[in-house]
Amino acid sequence: MGRLAMRRLALAWVVLASLGADAAARADEVRPAASRPLHVGAARLAAADTEPGQWMAHGRTWSEQRYSPLAQIDETNVARLGPAWVHATGTLRGLEATPLVVDGVMIATLTWSRVLALDARTGQELWRFDPEVPRAWGRHACCDVVNRGVAWWEGRVYVGTLDGRLVALDAKTGERLWSVQTTDPTRPYTITGAPRVAKGKVFIGNGGGEFGVRGYVSAHDAETGERLWRFYTVPASKDGPHEHVEVAQAAATWSRESTFESGLGGTVWDSMAFDPELDLLYVGVGNSNPYNRVLRSPGGGDNLFLTAILALRPDSGELVWHYQTTPAENWDYTATQHMILADLEIGGRTRKVLMQAPKNGFFYVLDRITGELISADAFAAMNWASHVDLETGRPVETGRAEWKDAESFVVPGPGGAHNWHPMAFHPGTGLVYVPSQDMAYPFLADPKHEHRPGYYNTGEDFPAMAKSIDGFERALKFCSPTHLTAWDPVARRQVWRVNKRSEINAGVLATAGNLVFQGGGGDGILSAYRATDGERVWSADLGVGIMAPPISYRVDGVQYVAVLVGVGGSAGLNFSVLESRNDGAVVAFKLDGRAPLPARRAPTPGRVRVTTDQLDPAQVEQGRVLYGTHCFRCHGVNAISGGLLPDLRHSSRQTHEQWRPIVLGGTLANKGMASFADVLSPAEVDAIQHYVVSQALREPTLLESVARFAAEQGLCIPASWLAR
Ligand code: CA
């Protein structure tokens, strides 16, 4: 360790020790006398640091730092950390939620927007709520039927459902108090993000940009559910009438020939933050529809407010400032990634900043009062831009990521240099811990693209990609595709990095014990790293992949670290091959915990393969195109499932006999397999079946064999080869 690092460590230790002593002196788990149990109002949230034993809001506090001031568990004793309790959720798909803990009650969300309340001391179930999302709606979810958590306000919790409802529940009983539809049910909107609350209002956005919807964020009255305002992020037309003045401002940045019929995207599907002092609600805006800007807004334009960070007045939805990360977005570079509010010493003065590390690969530090760009620096591999011009605030594109005419390998790909997985800011070390990743992706434009309801409308030529890849096998495999990057937002540089072997990333927690906790993504290892230098100081094998961000809380004087386990999401559906069955659980750890962990269960084995010698090559070819258009996002590229959803190559004879009733008749809709009768004919469904059977029967191609061999040998491409 260098001298500078030693000094930094010593300094951090002093800071941490004082923080820890301070926190211990407070009787934090005692609720303020003025508040009622299980009630979280403005006073408690504004003073969240006086109750560090609670986790009352999505990022613990309104500033969304995901830093726990608790220090009972620290780098000197973390080796004694063991399971306090395990609660099996009964789920088999992805879990991404941040649980909230208030007055000893933990509330988390599961697949299909279900809500679960547990005793935070024991893991015992208190109640469950199932909003009964029609399972066929899963077809409209780009990235699994996940949910990222509830918001808590007074005695209620709020959940957004996959089919677009905002539901208020009694936090004590789980009883439904009200439910409002926040989306047009005839459009493929989905909600996976956690609502946020402030000033008696619930804020909720939605997703669906890839399929073609128009993005917005809404505010609802927390007591009644009544909608108070809605901010549209993109215009419905060039000339209006526009719903509010900011839509007119946005319309000026779109060409007249823009694909307004597609909705244009700009969904608000995850991140928000609130500053009570400045009275500003910060909102992250997503990608375009279609992705391809040449098709989307012929003739150019910045296309506001795609990929922008918005500062809105929470009472009115009025826009105070905006910063667009990727003008004329072209690659699914959402700015919906986690935003952190902090006060930093920069250039000799304290700046109130907002920090975001969006998909496009730059770490942004903005003045959150004015929206002024303070700095933007690459934190992961990229080839689409060389840098951000700090004068203009705009990225300088390299031209190497154009894909209007020819296929192009773009870094980062649509998975982003950082996705939804929350990062964390540690005020003691001054570092931001980013679940970063290196991803490259072959963009190929569909020259005949037109918006088609019910389709994935990004403007990419998926059938051609599926044909030419041996399709996605050509997506570049990086060495250590995911990592945990400790970033200094003042010095604007990486301080340390831990490389991971999984292609699936995971959310982060920082604590006053000089620790950073993160799951292994595709693997079931939960690890603790020393916050100052990244040394791994503890790990536990939970046997099931972990994407969700851990939290920490204290009940009856005992500090816990808890996390949801269960892998999924877009990466889980496409990349991972499960090593064990994806049994979901909530797991809590404490010092000297001894609860038994559930035994690892083998994945559900494939069933009998159908064999046939009656394959028609023309139908196989037609089926390949149709499969690449409609099926691969859930059932896997080339009909090879990641293991979460059925691998169609292993379909039983009975399934093959029921093929048309399933795909057209919707006979398995209640299990999440929707009818595709609106976009597929019986003959086309038969063609897909021919293709699937052909995939079940065929031997691996030479390219696949080489790719598999390379993966087994650990051969991969260093990300630096493609970076600038
Ligand atoms: Ca997207």
Side-chain angles (χ1 to χ4, degrees):
M1 188 184 290
R3 179 175 295 178
L4 195 66
M6 283 293 284
R7 226 175 59 197
R8 162 158 231 132
L9 185 63
L11 186 70
W13 178 244
V14 171
V15 173
L16 293 168
S18 63
L19 276 174
D22 200 10
R26 290 193 289 256
D28 54 85
E29 56 271 35
V30 177
R31 167 174 56 79
S35 71
R36 293 156 63 196
L38 301 181
H39 278 243
V40 176
R44 279 186 93 177
L45 276 173
D49 279 341
T50 65
E51 293 187 80
Q54 319 275 7
W55 194 286
M56 298 185 284
H58 193 60
R60 192 180 71 83
T61 64
W62 271 324
S63 60
E64 305 254 341
Q65 293 183 355
R66 290 184 177 267
Y67 167 76
S68 170
L70 301 178
Q72 186 177 74
I73 301 163
D74 67 20
E75 59 172 318
T76 68
N77 63 19
V78 68
R80 286 164 43 206
L81 202 58
W85 52 260
V86 179
H87 182 94
T89 56
T91 57
L92 288 170
R93 294 180 68 172
L95 297 181
E96 297 186 350
T98 299
L100 302 191
V101 176
V102 175
D103 302 331
V105 172
M106 173 186 288
I107 301 185
T109 58
L110 310 174
T111 51
W112 299 109
S113 326
R114 287 171 293 188
V115 187
L116 171 68
L118 303 175
D119 183 326
R121 297 167 191 82
T122 63
Q124 199 179 16
E125 187 164 318
L126 302 174
W127 53 259
R128 247 176 206 253
F129 171 77
D130 186 347
E132 294 174 347
V133 171
R135 298 305 189 250
W137 203 259
R139 180 182 150 188
H140 303 307
C142 71
C143 310
D144 203 359
V145 293
V146 294
N147 189 281
R148 292 186 208 90
V150 295
W152 203 312
W153 186 258
E154 298 302 347
R156 305 183 189 87
V157 292
Y158 304 87
V159 62
T161 67
L162 195 73
D163 56 346
R165 288 170 283 159
L166 178 65
V167 181
L169 306 174
D170 185 315
K172 194 169 181 194
T173 63
E175 182 200 349
R176 185 172 65 184
L177 301 173
W178 52 255
S179 171
V180 291
Q181 183 70 36
T182 70
T183 55
D184 175 352
T186 68
R187 303 292 295 251
Y189 282 103
T190 49
I191 298 179
T192 57
R196 305 297 203 279
V197 285
K199 305 183 81 176
K201 298 172 184 65
V202 190
F203 308 102
I204 186 73
N206 47 59
E210 273 66 26
F211 294 89
V213 297
R214 183 185 178 202
Y216 56 84
V217 58
S218 312
H220 292 259
D221 185 299
E223 206 162 310
T224 64
E226 181 199 352
R227 197 218 293 177
L228 303 173
W229 54 259
R230 175 165 289 177
F231 184 98
Y232 286 96
T233 60
V234 288
S237 64
K238 181 70 179 170
D239 297 322
H242 301 302
E243 291 88 347
H244 46 89
V245 61
E246 295 88 349
V247 178
Q249 181 187 351
T253 67
W254 292 79
S255 77
R256 186 161 298 281
E257 295 72 36
S258 297
T259 55
F260 295 106
E261 69 281 8
S262 77
L264 303 179
T267 54
V268 177
W269 58 261
D270 197 43
S271 145
M272 294 182 224
F274 174 62
D275 186 323
E277 190 190 330
L278 299 175
D279 193 33
L280 289 175
L281 174 75
Y282 303 99
V283 172
V285 182
N287 58 272
S288 56
N289 184 286
Y291 292 167
N292 189 335
R293 58 188 169 198
V294 177
L295 293 172
R296 185 179 71 245
S297 182
D302 282 353
N303 296 174
L304 290 172
F305 291 97
L306 297 176
T307 76
I309 295 166
L310 310 174
L312 305 177
R313 287 284 175 225
D315 289 333
S316 61
E318 177 201 349
L319 180 68
V320 176
W321 59 257
H322 75 274
Y323 176 78
Q324 190 179 32
T325 58
T326 312
E329 184 308 278
N330 202 28
W331 309 273
D332 191 17
Y333 283 169
T334 61
T336 49
Q337 279 58 50
H338 181 191
M339 295 180 288
I340 288 178
L341 313 184
D343 293 352
L344 300 179
E345 289 294 317
I346 297 174
R349 62 186 175 116
T350 304
R351 304 290 300 264
K352 289 182 177 299
V353 307
L354 179 154
M355 297 181 280
Q356 190 190 53
K359 280 188 182 180
N360 76 11
F362 288 107
F363 189 100
Y364 292 89
V365 181
L366 302 176
D367 182 316
R368 73 172 181 275
I369 305 172
T370 62
E372 178 205 346
L373 176 66
I374 297 173
S375 62
D377 300 278
F379 65 92
M382 67 171 68
N383 71 353
W384 76 279
S386 60
H387 65 287
V388 174
D389 182 329
L390 292 182
E391 288 298 309
T392 63
R394 299 171 71 90
V396 178
E397 292 186 17
T398 59
R400 289 166 60 193
E402 285 302 329
W403 56 285
K404 61 179 186 286
D405 305 317
E407 186 187 40
S408 179
F409 267 105
V410 179
V411 189
H418 170 218
N419 206 308
W420 65 269
H421 315 89
M423 50 191 199
F425 171 68
H426 193 306
T429 64
L431 302 178
V432 179
Y433 303 93
V434 188
S436 53
Q437 50 198 33
D438 291 317
M439 302 275 166
Y441 178 85
F443 274 105
L444 180 59
D446 176 2
K448 299 189 297 291
H449 174 79
E450 56 184 42
H451 184 77
R452 291 182 292 177
Y455 284 68
Y456 204 70
N457 280 298
T458 60
E460 294 170 272
D461 193 342
F462 287 112
M465 284 159 81
K467 239 185 248 184
S468 76
I469 344 196
D470 275 65
F472 284 68
E473 298 294 338
R474 287 191 306 125
L476 299 187
K477 300 268 186 260
F478 283 120
C479 313
S480 310
T482 61
H483 9 83
L484 176 60
T485 299
W487 185 266
D488 185 330
V490 176
R492 303 166 55 180
R493 63 180 182 90
Q494 177 185 313
V495 175
W496 54 258
R497 170 173 279 188
V498 174
N499 289 317
K500 305 291 190 68
R501 68 183 178 94
S502 173
E503 285 171 310
I504 302 175
N505 224 323
V508 174
L509 163 74
T511 76
N514 196 22
L515 296 171
V516 176
F517 289 87
Q518 189 190 28
D523 70 36
I525 313 288
L526 180 66
S527 298
Y529 304 93
R530 198 151 50 214
T532 33
D533 62 9
E535 180 81 23
R536 184 155 87 164
V537 289
W538 172 83
S539 68
D541 187 353
L542 305 187
V544 174
I546 308 164
M547 310 183 285
I551 63 157
S552 190
Y553 61 95
R554 179 157 65 182
V555 188
D556 297 339
V558 177
Q559 183 187 354
Y560 296 83
V561 171
V563 70
L564 272 64
V565 307
V567 79
S570 174
L573 288 169
N574 281 292
F575 296 151
S576 109
V577 173
L578 296 180
E579 290 166 11
S580 56
R581 213 176 79 155
N582 197 34
D583 292 302
V586 188
V587 184
F589 292 84
K590 63 179 181 181
L591 293 178
D592 306 317
R594 300 268 186 275
L597 288 171
R600 193 187 286 259
R601 287 202 271 183
T604 313
R607 281 169 292 186
V608 184
R609 286 188 183 197
V610 158
T611 59
T612 170
D613 50 11
Q614 296 176 318
L615 287 176
D616 168 6
Q619 280 189 290
V620 168
E621 213 39 48
Q622 185 192 7
R624 182 197 309 278
V625 168
L626 292 164
Y627 183 93
T629 304
H630 298 288
C631 313
F632 84 88
R633 272 173 300 281
C634 289
H635 289 287
V637 172
N638 297 348
I640 302 167
S641 166
L644 280 186
L645 294 183
D647 190 315
L648 299 179
R649 298 170 305 158
H650 299 273
S651 299
S652 65
R653 186 169 294 279
Q654 190 190 14
T655 297
H656 277 290
E657 283 167 4
Q658 293 295 311
W659 199 263
R660 278 194 193 180
I662 292 169
V663 183
L664 295 174
T667 55
L668 294 182
N670 62 356
K671 292 187 168 177
M673 174 57 204
S675 163
F676 281 72
D678 57 329
V679 288
L680 292 172
S681 70
E684 289 175 325
V685 169
D686 293 349
I688 292 173
Q689 187 174 24
H690 274 251
Y691 168 68
V692 166
V693 172
S694 78
Q695 286 296 90
L697 295 177
R698 77 178 174 86
E699 298 295 326
T701 63
L702 180 63
L703 201 57
E704 284 171 334
S705 300
V706 169
R708 193 166 307 161
F709 174 79
E712 282 165 8
Q713 299 298 312
L715 300 174
C716 50
I717 298 166
S720 55
W721 285 12
L722 271 169
R724 279 179 264 172

